[in-house]
Amino acid sequence: MPYGHGFVYGLGAVSFLGFLFSLFIAGFFLSLAAHLVGIKDASTLKAMLAIVGGGIVGAIAYAVVAVLLIWIAPMNALLAVVAFILAYVWVIKTIFNTDWIRAFLAWILAAIIEVMVVGILVLLGLVALA
């Protein structure tokens, strides 16, 4: 097995390409869900931007709520998850220029489609969950 700079650069390139591929697949599913919900301005590029932006803004919202509400430990995690979901849906709403209900439905439908596709791939033996 080769070691050195080339090996490290190769790992970085493969990681970056894997990130782009997974971003495209997730964007495709969100775009498909947006079309099914009835969002007219949906495209895969906007969906990819919504996924990256939603992840970043949602993580910031989660961290802020978790830090600010650290004194109520049992409800801390639940409220932080709610803040994450609201922030993520807000980003989808803003990027697709739609209302809250359609943005939330697109987010839920994209998750359902992803779970169904992974389940089918697992049943076919093409993907292993390990």
Side-chain angles (χ1 to χ4, degrees):
M1 175 174 252
Y3 295 104
H5 296 299
F7 180 70
V8 173
Y9 294 148
L11 283 178
V14 168
S15 299
F16 182 69
L17 289 175
F19 170 75
L20 287 180
F21 182 70
S22 63
L23 180 64
F24 176 75
I25 295 297
F28 174 74
F29 287 141
L30 182 59
S31 174
L32 177 67
H35 282 294
L36 290 174
V37 168
I39 299 174
K40 294 175 180 43
D41 227 9
S43 69
T44 305
L45 187 62
K46 281 186 177 181
M48 290 169 59
L49 184 63
I51 286 172
V52 171
I56 292 170
V57 172
I60 291 170
Y62 182 92
V64 167
V65 169
V67 167
L68 290 178
L69 299 178
I70 196 77
W71 50 274
I72 52 171
M75 292 298 291
N76 183 10
L78 181 63
L79 291 175
V81 169
V82 169
F84 174 83
I85 291 171
L86 287 175
Y88 205 108
V89 171
W90 175 77
V91 170
I92 293 173
K93 174 193 168 307
T94 304
I95 289 178
F96 286 137
N97 196 20
T98 187
D99 57 350
W100 282 96
I101 294 174
R102 288 187 191 198
F104 183 74
L105 289 175
W107 179 71
I108 289 290
L109 191 58
I112 291 170
I113 291 171
E114 288 175 11
V115 168
M116 286 175 41
V117 167
V118 168
I120 291 170
L121 291 175
V122 166
L123 289 175
L124 292 175
L126 299 174
V127 175
L129 293 177

